[in-house]
């Protein structure tokens, strides 16, 4: 079985993102970029499944500009066997991303496509669900535990009410939540080895997918600022303040 | 003609409040015709509850035993079939809505507008991105169905009226799905008010140190009639169950009063509370970022402050 792990290059989660003063986007110049943290977790899980003998090959894939090959190389250094880079300079929205991934699925016929539950730039939380719809296969989103048994996966999902368990037949689409695992650190020799692993470039046009029906981004704005309040000296002062505001 | 369809969420035979909040968001579209689709098992009274919501035109009741614990794979084709008659299809941005709505959107052939926090006009919306560090205004294509989720924390619940709107019974449009099977759902069995709708929330962080340490949070919450929340670090450490997590990847909440106790105030946590009315922070580090957003702060050891606070209220 193959596992396909789509990884997105995003602004690192530690960066305090700033909106450009002209409102056309957010500042990405000179900002640290990383693999979307959820995708790193998805990749870690895929590698563990392979290491447990339940998969033969782990393929990482990214849709984006030349730069996302850095993240694909990191994925290879973590242990993925090969990488697919769907090349486009335009940012693809979830429906187009799902259509591209469907093309990759048709080529590679993976048993599992393991995505992140959301990309932390656009916070869309759509692509995995959309791929599952287009592929007409099961989805188990927001996974915090995955157990494989032959052609079925039992997936624990983090839902508002607590933990839900679903059983899905493979092939299936899974998306990772944060508590699924802790991704490994990449070691220096692995970075060297990763340079020799195959990385295929596929122009987006070749797949016959475009961004039609995309949402137009009209304007970006910083969020309304919460102004910091007062530091109080004592619990009594706090209780008084809250009482004065009618909150206690 | 413009028409809106809302996908209701319910569990244990009760309508989830997120549905009434989605309706409140829908009312801002300036469209008069708003239907609510209730997929439920036979004998469920959820449709009657939905019919009482002010602003609803009609409730569509679609009955099948599959809808007791429906999977996204089962529901999405049903939503797609209904969508043909609507210009807008909306769901709540709860884990239920986040799971099923994008699947339906893909079948309909559109991108979803996730987490609408403000309706500008029927095709233009504001939504948070980058963990709430930016707000983007997006325009959906005018000639296509709009599929969207409504950010619950941005809207109050539509009220219940005295009268009920019409309820129309519909047949399911598609069949059972065998490749995806619901097994169970387990809840931490927490007592007290629901975190997502509570007026008051007391959250503890990594500093609580253990499940036993967390007891003072439960105790203060009980005294206040508040729900209990937590940071990711506290959940990861196993002090409390996952459903208590507040933040970008946990629950986005908007209580009147929020206590952040032993929580540093990472952006991913703040995303979850930026709509809170009043924020109180208790932290021993005067430089903790939580104080930049808190309305009131107390600097000191929480294990001294929290019991003292509880004794004064
Ligand atoms: C993709 C992604 C998503 C995330 N989503 C979320 C999310 O949804 N929610 C979330 O909360 N986090 C989330 N995080 C994690 C987030 O970045 C922080 O790591 C986390 O919020 C830290 O939790 P904390 O404040 O409890 O712990 P810490 O940052 O360790 O803070 C503990 C605080 O307690 C104080 N303290 C210690 N002892 C005492 C004492 N005795 N008395 C008083 N104060 C004391 C310290 O001064 C410190 O400020 C996410 C991270 C990533 C990468
Ligand atoms: N451009 C992309 N390249 C590779 N994977 C992507 C891309 N966009 C989205 N994904 C995958 O889809 C998941 C969900 O993204 P989103 O729906 O945008 O929140 C991500 O965590 C990735 O696994």
């Amino acid at each position: 079985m193959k596992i396909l792990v789509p990884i997105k290059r995003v602004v690192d989660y530690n960066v305090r993102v700033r909106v450009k003063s002209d409102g056309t986007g957010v500042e990405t110049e000179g900002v640290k970029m990383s693999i979307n943290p959820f995708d790193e977790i998805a990749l870690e899980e895929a590698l563990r499944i392979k290491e447990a003998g339940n998969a033969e090959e782990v393929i990482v894939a990214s849709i984006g500009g030349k730069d996302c090959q850095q993240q694909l190389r990191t994925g290879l250094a973590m242990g993925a066997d090969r990488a697919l880079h769907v090349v486009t300079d335009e940012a693809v929205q979830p429906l187009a991303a799902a259509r591209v991934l469907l093309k990759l699925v048709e080529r590679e016929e993976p048993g599992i496509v393991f995505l992140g539950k959301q990309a932390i730039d656009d916070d869309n939380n759509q692509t995995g669900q959309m791929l599952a719809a287009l592929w007409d296969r099961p989805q188990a989103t927001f996974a915090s535990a995955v157990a494989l048994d032959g052609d079925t996966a039992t997936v624990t999902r983090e839902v508002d009410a607590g933990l839900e368990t679903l059983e899905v037949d493979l092939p299936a689409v899974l998306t990772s939540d944060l508590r699924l695992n802790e991704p490994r650190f990449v070691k220096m020799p692995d970075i060297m080895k990763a340079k020799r692993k195959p990385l295929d470039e596929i122009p987006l046009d070749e797949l016959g997918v475009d961004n039609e029906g995309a949402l137009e981004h009209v304007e970006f704005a910083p969020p309304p600022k919460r102004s910091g309040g007062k530091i109080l000296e004592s619990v009594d002062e706090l209780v008084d303040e809250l009482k004065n505001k009618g909150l206690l | 003609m413009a028409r809106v369809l809302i996908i209701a969420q319910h569990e244990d035979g009760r309508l989830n409040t997120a549905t009434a909040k989605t309706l409140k968001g829908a009312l801002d579209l300036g469209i008069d015709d708003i239907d609510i689709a209730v997929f439920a098992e036979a004998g469920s009274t959820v449709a009657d509850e939905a019919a009482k919501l002010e602003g609803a035109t009609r409730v569509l009741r679609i009955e099948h035993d599959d809808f007791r614990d429906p999977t996204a794979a089962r529901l999405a084709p049903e939503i797609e079939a209904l969508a043909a008659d609507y210009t807008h299809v909306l769901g709540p941005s709860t884990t239920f809505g986040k799971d099923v709505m994008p699947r339906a959107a893909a079948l309909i052939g559109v991108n979803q507008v996730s987490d609408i926090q403000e309706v500008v006009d029927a095709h233009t919306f504001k939504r948070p991105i980058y963990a709430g560090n930016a707000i983007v205004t997006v325009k959906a294509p005018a000639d296509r169905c709009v599929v969207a989720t409504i950010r619950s924390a941005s809207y109050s619940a539509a009220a219940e009226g005295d009268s009920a709107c019409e309820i129309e019974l519909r047949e399911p449009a598609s069949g059972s799905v065998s490749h995806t099977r619901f097994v169970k759902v387990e809840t931490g069995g927490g007592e007290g008010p629901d975190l997502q709708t509570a007026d008051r929330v007391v959250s503890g962080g990594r500093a609580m140190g253990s499940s036993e340490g967390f007891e003072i949070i439960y105790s203060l919450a009980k005294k206040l009639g508040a729900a209990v929340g937590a940071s990711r670090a506290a959940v990861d450490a196993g002090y409390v169950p996952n459903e208590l997590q507040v933040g970008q990847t946990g629950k986005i909440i908007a209580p009147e009063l929020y206590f952040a106790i032993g929580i540093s105030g990472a952006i991913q946590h703040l995303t979850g509370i930026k709509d809170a009315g009043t924020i109180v922070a208790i932290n021993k580090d005067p430089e903790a970022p939580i104080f930049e957003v808190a309305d009131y702060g107390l600097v000191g050891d929480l294990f001294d402050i929290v019991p003292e606070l509880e004794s004064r209220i």
Side-chain angles (χ1 to χ4, degrees):
Chain A
M1 179 176 79
K2 294 180 191 174
I3 305 179
L4 178 66
V5 183
I7 60 179
K8 190 175 186 189
R9 170 185 166 93
V10 297
V11 173
D12 187 84
Y13 79 95
N14 281 311
V15 172
R16 235 196 171 107
V17 170
R18 255 183 256 281
V19 174
K20 289 185 192 161
S21 52
D22 62 1
T24 56
V26 303
E27 207 58 74
T28 50
E29 201 85 2
V31 162
K32 184 177 178 211
M33 305 294 285
S34 300
I35 301 183
N36 181 41
F38 292 99
D39 305 353
E40 206 179 346
I41 293 169
L43 175 55
E44 174 66 33
E45 197 66 17
L47 295 172
R48 290 185 191 184
I49 291 170
K50 183 186 160 189
E51 285 156 5
N54 290 320
E56 281 78 50
E57 196 181 30
V58 175
I59 307 163
V60 283
S62 195
I63 312 161
K66 202 79 193 160
D67 289 345
C68 67
Q69 292 195 4
Q70 291 165 12
Q71 279 65 43
L72 287 171
R73 289 286 171 205
T74 308
L76 293 170
M78 276 178 72
D81 298 291
R82 59 190 170 93
L84 302 173
H85 176 203
V86 177
V87 188
T88 167
D89 284 329
E90 237 187 289
V92 294
Q93 293 186 6
L95 184 60
R99 285 176 172 155
V100 167
L101 294 175
L102 181 66
K103 297 285 182 189
L104 301 184
V105 161
E106 285 163 358
R107 286 187 184 196
E108 302 287 349
E109 301 185 342
I112 296 174
V113 183
F114 218 136
L115 303 90
K117 82 163 174 183
Q118 79 195 61
I120 60 162
D121 48 5
D122 288 331
D123 284 333
N124 273 316
N125 197 333
Q126 302 179 25
T127 308
Q129 298 86 317
M130 289 187 154
L131 172 63
L134 302 177
W135 191 16
D136 196 18
R137 292 303 307 166
Q139 73 187 47
T141 52
F142 325 148
S144 64
V146 175
L148 292 183
D149 182 11
D151 284 338
T152 61
T154 303
V155 180
T156 308
R157 308 180 52 232
E158 294 208 3
V159 295
D160 291 337
L163 295 172
E164 184 188 83
T165 309
L166 281 187
E167 213 175 73
V168 297
D169 294 337
L170 303 183
V173 173
L174 310 184
T175 77
S176 61
D177 216 320
L178 286 174
R179 273 174 283 279
L180 183 58
N181 60 49
E182 268 185 53
R184 64 197 64 189
F185 287 105
V186 174
K187 292 188 241 37
M188 206 51 205
D190 296 327
I191 296 176
M192 300 312 290
K193 257 196 281 175
K195 289 194 173 134
R196 292 192 301 273
K197 289 186 180 176
L199 189 160
D200 286 343
E201 290 183 25
I202 309 164
L204 180 70
D205 307 338
E206 207 173 276
L207 298 175
V209 176
D210 57 28
N211 231 342
E212 60 92 32
L215 305 176
E216 183 194 339
H217 290 165
V218 183
E219 188 192 14
F220 295 77
K225 242 191 140 73
R226 276 194 90 98
S227 45
K230 311 183 215 177
I231 297 288
L232 306 173
E233 295 305 321
S234 69
V235 167
D236 284 334
E237 229 182 294
L238 174 63
V239 171
D240 285 345
E241 290 276 2
L242 294 178
K243 279 193 173 144
N244 290 340
K245 270 190 148 183
L247 289 166
L248 281 185
Chain B
M1 203 187 62
R3 295 181 71 195
V4 184
L5 180 69
I6 291 170
I7 310 304
Q9 176 179 352
H10 56 91
E11 43 272 311
D12 304 325
R14 296 299 312 265
L15 192 66
N16 187 298
T17 338
T19 308
K21 294 184 174 188
T22 306
L23 174 56
K24 194 79 174 183
L27 290 169
D28 288 347
L29 293 166
I31 297 170
D32 292 333
D33 205 330
I34 304 179
D35 294 355
I36 302 177
V38 175
F39 295 93
E41 69 272 26
S44 157
T45 55
V46 172
D48 306 299
E49 249 186 281
K52 290 197 195 118
L53 293 177
E54 249 166 43
T57 310
R58 196 181 294 101
V59 168
L60 310 180
R61 192 167 101 199
I62 308 100
E63 287 189 346
H64 197 284
D65 279 348
D66 288 351
F67 302 150
R68 190 182 311 273
D69 296 293
T71 61
R74 177 69 182 87
L75 282 184
E78 298 286 344
I79 297 171
E80 181 201 7
L82 291 178
D85 295 331
Y86 295 88
T87 53
H88 293 71
V89 181
L90 309 181
S93 71
T94 54
T95 51
F96 165 78
K98 287 174 177 174
D99 189 41
V100 68
M101 297 303 290
R103 187 162 181 133
L107 296 179
I108 295 165
V110 296
N111 282 292
Q112 170 183 281
V113 184
S114 301
D115 306 317
I116 291 177
Q117 66 172 49
E118 189 185 328
V119 174
V120 179
D121 64 40
H123 288 89
T124 315
F125 312 96
K126 292 191 180 182
R127 58 175 301 262
I129 55 174
Y130 289 96
N133 283 307
I135 309 297
V136 65
T137 305
V138 297
K139 224 182 177 74
D143 55 346
R144 298 192 187 200
C145 183
V146 175
V147 177
T149 58
I150 298 286
R151 187 173 176 275
S152 304
S154 300
Y155 293 91
S156 58
E160 276 198 10
D162 301 327
S163 60
C165 70
E166 142 198 20
I167 300 179
E168 209 178 294
L169 194 64
R170 296 273 185 99
E171 288 299 312
S174 53
S176 300
V177 173
S178 61
H179 60 46
T180 308
R181 298 171 290 278
F182 172 85
V183 180
K184 63 179 174 185
V185 58
E186 288 165 296
T187 60
E191 39 192 292
D194 174 46
L195 175 56
Q196 249 156 337
T197 49
D199 290 336
R200 295 171 174 181
V201 172
V202 181
S203 283
R206 192 198 308 271
M208 306 318 300
S210 63
S211 306
E212 295 73 45
F214 222 91
E215 284 305 322
I216 60 171
I217 297 288
Y218 281 103
S219 179
L220 175 62
K222 196 164 178 192
K223 188 91 179 249
L224 286 164
V228 172
S231 70
R232 174 190 171 189
V235 176
D236 283 359
Y239 306 160
V240 289
N242 66 286
E243 63 266 29
L244 299 193
Q245 182 173 316
V246 171
Q248 182 188 17
T249 46
K251 292 192 168 113
I252 312 275
I253 57 174
E256 280 169 24
L257 182 57
Y258 185 78
F259 288 86
I261 301 175
I263 291 178
S264 60
I267 46 176
Q268 294 89 3
H269 187 80
L270 301 183
T271 310
I273 57 170
K274 66 193 177 72
D275 296 290
T278 297
I279 297 175
V280 177
I282 300 171
N283 198 303
K284 69 176 181 191
D285 174 10
E287 302 298 324
I290 189 73
F291 289 124
E292 290 165 31
V293 300
D295 299 277
Y296 302 112
L298 283 174
V299 179
D301 192 328
L302 68 92
F303 292 101
D304 298 330
I305 295 174
V306 174
E308 187 186 344
L309 177 59
E310 191 187 326
S311 72
R312 301 292 161 86
I313 49 181

